Amino acid sequence: CAGARLEPLRLRSHFAAAKSETVSARDIALTIIGRLYLTFVPAIGVSIFLLLLIASESLAARPSYYTGGIALPYISDTWRDAPNYYLGLVGGIICGACLLVQHAYLNVRIAFACGDKRASILWLTASVLGALSCIGLLGLTIFSTTAFPDLHQYSAYVFFVLQAIALPLFTSAAALPGDMLKRASIRGGHAHFGAMAKPADTSAYGGAAGAASAGKIYCPSCFFQLKLGSTILFWLSFIVYLPVGIAIVCTWYRVPLDKCKGELGLGDAYCDALVLPADYNGTDCADGPCTQLWEYDGCPAINEMRAVRQLVCVLSLLFFHWSFVGENRKLLSAGSTSMVGAEVVIEA
């Protein structure tokens, strides 16, 4: 709903006209600090995740850190051992929580604020998919690829596939011009939207610049170029990473215990701590006893390609979610709500 226009909230005293609604200080939860937080909540989540990802990648670049035999490891392998695991865990939980607020709270309200019905449906559908994908994000960071390989793998599939569907829907909605606008109000600590109003013709204000000076919020792009570029980059990498990569990648095998101690020289104590149970009968352990570690020696070039594409997918998703700041700013661009006993006026 990039072209949709939302009018800012108008605040006035208790002696306002009868068409206003009184909001007590207790009810006004969206203070200046609160609005700033909600505006930048996706940027906060992805920025923290990116910083912790860089930190874990740096720690995994140590010569003593086993990466499965490839130069750039899978992100799941960088989070395999402590302290890298805790960096990924904290980053995933914080980012997942912030994106859940964005998709389940803010994006739903943005969808209902879209005047264009098509944009509203697309945005709302994508928001539901985005909220569900947060479950996958939490799962793939909580469940280690070594201790819980199946849960980790399926959580990753859920996250990436749902995001792959959601991104084009968001981008398509952002490309549609908004022909209606709704008034936003704050009531009971939540953002609500008043009755649908007739579209405001920006030409009457002298174009977008005139509309802005007249108090109208006109945002035809809201980082649309960033959405479009991130979506294209994500899909180009996603196709190689999952559908194509899974089809051509060779079978992964567990690292045998003797290889862990001998050839790899990872240390007796470390290898013994990762050894699989004696009754383990998985097909990924060709020469037991085996450890929980994975080796990609069978086809290192393909695994390296998939690891690079995986990283590009993640970076594309981070940049894409940063773009929601544009819609959030438009949604929450209201007058100061820090006034005690202020009133919110819904203009007819």
Side-chain angles (χ1 to χ4, degrees):
C1 56
R5 299 175 296 275
L6 302 179
E7 290 199 17
L9 301 179
R10 307 293 186 183
L11 299 180
R12 58 191 186 188
S13 67
H14 284 296
F15 302 101
K19 294 179 69 176
S20 63
E21 299 180 13
T22 302
V23 181
S24 66
R26 180 185 297 273
D27 291 336
I28 299 180
L30 297 180
T31 60
I32 294 177
I33 296 177
R35 281 204 314 278
L36 285 175
Y37 166 73
L38 288 178
T39 299
F40 292 98
V41 66
I44 293 172
V46 300
S47 297
I48 292 175
F49 184 89
L50 179 60
L51 290 175
L52 295 178
L53 177 61
I54 293 174
S56 61
E57 290 283 354
S58 301
L59 291 174
R62 295 171 298 171
S64 59
Y65 195 91
Y66 178 67
T67 60
I70 55 179
L72 180 67
Y74 290 102
I75 295 177
S76 55
D77 281 324
T78 66
W79 292 341
R80 184 185 64 239
D81 302 328
N84 301 42
Y85 170 77
Y86 297 107
L87 292 176
L89 180 64
V90 172
I93 291 176
I94 293 177
C95 186
C98 289
L99 296 187
L100 190 60
V101 172
Q102 178 65 47
H103 290 302
Y105 180 76
L106 292 169
N107 275 346
V108 170
R109 282 149 180 80
I110 291 171
F112 286 110
C114 292
D116 188 276
K117 185 176 181 180
R118 297 167 301 169
S120 180
I121 294 174
L122 288 173
W123 197 275
L124 184 60
T125 303
S127 301
V128 173
L129 296 175
L132 293 175
S133 73
C134 293
I135 301 175
L137 176 59
L138 294 175
L140 69 90
T141 54
I142 293 174
F143 301 112
S144 169
T145 185
T146 53
F148 305 97
D150 291 338
L151 289 175
H152 178 88
Q153 183 177 19
Y154 293 134
S155 296
Y157 289 165
V158 168
F159 174 70
F160 282 109
V161 171
L162 291 180
Q163 285 290 331
I165 301 173
L167 262 60
L169 296 180
F170 277 127
T171 305
S172 299
L176 294 173
D179 57 355
M180 301 288 278
L181 67 91
K182 286 188 177 183
R183 271 69 172 180
S185 68
I186 300 175
R187 189 181 310 115
H190 299 282
H192 298 268
F193 297 93
M196 188 77 80
K198 293 293 183 182
D201 185 3
T202 57
S203 62
Y205 300 98
S213 64
K216 308 289 181 180
I217 299 173
Y218 183 68
C219 182
S221 63
C222 285
F223 300 109
F224 171 73
Q225 292 82 0
L226 181 57
K227 285 184 175 62
L228 179 61
S230 299
T231 300
I232 294 174
L233 185 60
F234 172 84
W235 262 95
L236 291 176
S237 298
F238 173 78
I239 292 174
V240 177
Y241 168 50
L242 280 187
V244 174
I246 291 177
I248 64 176
V249 74
C250 57
T251 304
W252 295 349
Y253 290 101
R254 302 281 191 172
V255 176
L257 181 61
D258 57 353
K259 181 177 180 179
C260 180
K261 294 180 179 181
E263 180 181 341
L264 300 179
L266 299 179
D268 292 353
Y270 177 78
C271 295
D272 289 336
L274 294 177
V275 69
L276 293 169
D279 58 349
Y280 182 80
N281 58 358
T283 58
D284 51 13
C285 179
D287 186 17
C290 295
T291 65
Q292 297 177 5
L293 302 176
W294 295 100
E295 57 181 354
Y296 313 112
D297 297 343
C299 49
I302 295 177
N303 281 290
E304 189 71 77
M305 176 189 67
R306 293 190 68 225
V308 171
R309 296 301 181 181
Q310 181 194 59
L311 181 60
V312 175
C313 282
V314 171
L315 294 178
S316 301
L317 289 175
L318 296 181
F319 290 131
F320 184 93
H321 284 83
W322 214 103
S323 71
F324 285 128
V325 171
E327 282 80 16
N328 294 349
R329 179 182 58 82
K330 184 170 63 173
L331 177 69
L332 300 168
S333 58
S336 173
T337 59
S338 60
M339 300 167 55
V340 176
E343 295 187 344
V344 180
V345 178
I346 305 178
E347 297 180 350

